[in-house]
Amino acid sequence: IEDVLSVAFRPGGKQVVTAADGTVRVWDVARDAEARVLAPPRPKLPPGLPAMRPMTTAVAFSPDGRHLAATTD
């Protein structure tokens, strides 16, 4: 994992989410293991242009822990 840009704990503390290297990772705190990887979709570009993944810059849980928000640059 490259530099972590944002960290958020889910209410209750059982999961933590990180934003780094263009992806959002959900971690299971009790198991000290990655539980899920979420990557933003790659935009459709005309042929010949390199596909670049938006960089996720921040993550946050809703107060009830049911929703996760992520922002990109």
Side-chain angles (χ1 to χ4, degrees):
I1 295 178
E2 293 182 24
D3 295 332
V4 174
L5 300 174
S6 182
V7 176
F9 281 88
R10 189 174 197 168
K14 293 183 180 181
Q15 291 180 322
V16 64
V17 176
T18 59
D21 64 14
T23 60
V24 173
R25 287 180 169 77
V26 181
W27 301 88
D28 182 317
V29 174
R31 291 185 12 229
D32 190 24
E34 187 176 273
R36 189 174 207 181
V37 177
L38 309 168
R42 292 181 184 258
K44 291 186 179 183
L45 299 172
L49 291 178
M52 295 179 62
R53 183 184 304 173
M55 184 61 67
T56 305
T57 56
V59 289
F61 277 104
S62 62
D64 64 4
R66 293 179 54 200
H67 303 282
L68 172 64
T71 61
T72 59
D73 57 358

